[in-house]
Amino acid sequence: MKTYTLIKFGEAESAFELQEKPTPKPGKGEVLIKSEGFGLNFADVMARLGIYRDCPPLPAVLGYENVGHIAELGEGVKGFEIGDRVLTFTRFGGYADHVVSPAMAVVKISDRLSIGEATALATQYITAYWAAEETVSLHEGDHVLIHAAAGGVGTALIQLLKRKGCIIFGTAGSQEKLDYLKSIGVDYPINYREVNYQEEIEKLGFGKKIDATFNPIGGDYVKKDYKLLNSGGRVVIYGASKMTEARGNFFKMLGLAFGFGFWSPIKFVSSSTSLIGINMLRVADDKPMAFKRALQAVNDLAEAEEIKPFVGKEFPHTELAAAHNYLEGRKSIGKVAVKWS
Ligand SMILES: NC(=O)c1ccc[n+]([C@@H]2O[C@H](COP(=O)([O-])OP(=O)(O)OC[C@H]3O[C@@H](n4cnc5c(N)ncnc54)[C@H](OP(=O)(O)O)[C@@H]3O)[C@@H](O)[C@H]2O)c1
């Protein structure tokens, strides 16, 4: 089988090597999938840059999701047949043309979904679902702030929260992305490069009226978000993209760490607010049934056309480096995927 293996940290052009390896056999409770393609996530960029704590030691095969057809069933696997089209959460190892996966992490998908649409479900939609459905409870008329709103997780959150009738503030860094956000129903798109988003929301009259923020940026964005919260408000933190800017600079890294702030539980009780962290790898490891339930839920919503992942671009596998640069360059809207043929 073929894998794109991360052999060194740094530039996308020299970081990956196309390697030939023996195709693995599925063990008990596992399936072998012949891949059509795999998805990219911003965490892959951070792993390539050497700033992703959960990245396995090099050489490593990155990739959280893969879509393809069942090629072999391991002992005891029920509910799947050879040839079924499936989506799997791979927990690394996804940049490959064959993957072995526990059947628990696999769902059947229809032919209707493209590679990009399907792979968006396994990491970005499941993260958004966990954040917006399992972690916090939101209702019609609630005010929510979504950062990196035009990205993979961001667009997923928008779709899930529009269904509930929430009023959405979304940040992004270009006019093209702001126009896109408007077109998909974001009530207040904000270009964080042009204005201080916290001041802008206050100016619009929504200071201390935000019920939840969804924050993959980290650093001082956490404190700024917190200042906007209403009683009962929550800051949901699921990333630290600002690390890409601070990378290699001790003082910037320190500033980023301090930027998160120091928090006392008393503050949360007295103002009835909370900070919530999400790491889907931990959820997948420690609560596989809950993870499977969320994966099935987003798949069902997609099949029912209640959600529809937006795919920014699908790249041929020979252009993996270009796909990484596209995501790292903050140009992408929605999902970025890679196909084998
Ligand atoms: N905790 C978890 O389990 C989990 C799971 C999945 C994803 N995540 C996190 O969720 C975030 C989004 O992931 P994704 O794959 O969907 O990526 P994405 O949102 O499609 O792409 C990243 C986007 O973040 C925005 N961004 C804002 N500030 C940034 C900064 N300082 N550095 C880099 N980018 C910045 C950029 O758009 P604009 O600049 O235009 O806003 C960029 O396009 C990432 O932080 C990722 O690590 C966490």
Side-chain angles (χ1 to χ4, degrees), residues 6 76 142 157 178 192 201 209 240 317:
L6 181 66
D142 283 348
L157 281 166
L178 259 55
Y192 69 89
I201 292 171
K209 287 196 177 149
H317 71 91

Side-chain angles (χ1 to χ4, degrees), residues 6 9 47 52-62 64 91-93:
L6 181 66
F9 298 128
Y52 187 49
R53 194 197 290 230
D54 283 312
C55 181
L58 303 197
V61 181
L62 305 181
Y64 286 125
R91 203 204 190 289
F92 301 104

Side-chain angles (χ1 to χ4, degrees), residues 139-182:
H139 305 277
E140 189 173 355
D142 283 348
H143 299 110
V144 301
L145 167 61
I146 300 171
H147 293 291
V153 179
T155 49
L157 281 166
I158 292 165
Q159 286 184 13
L160 292 171
L161 293 169
K162 284 301 289 180
R163 289 172 71 239
K164 290 176 183 270
C166 294
I167 296 158
I168 300 181
F169 300 75
T171 69
S174 73
Q175 190 55 47
E176 185 199 358
K177 289 186 180 181
L178 259 55
D179 292 344
Y180 175 72
L181 293 180
K182 197 84 200 163

Side-chain angles (χ1 to χ4, degrees), residues 69-114:
H69 293 85
I70 301 261
E72 208 177 323
L73 298 172
E75 190 195 326
V77 172
K78 295 205 169 56
F80 294 102
E81 284 179 24
I82 304 237
D84 281 347
R85 189 169 192 248
V86 290
L87 167 68
T88 179
F89 175 76
T90 49
R91 203 204 190 289
F92 301 104
Y95 289 15
D97 71 350
H98 286 79
V99 294
V100 161
S101 190
M104 175 70 94
V106 179
V107 288
K108 285 189 211 173
I109 55 161
S110 69
D111 289 337
R112 208 172 40 74
L113 295 174
S114 69

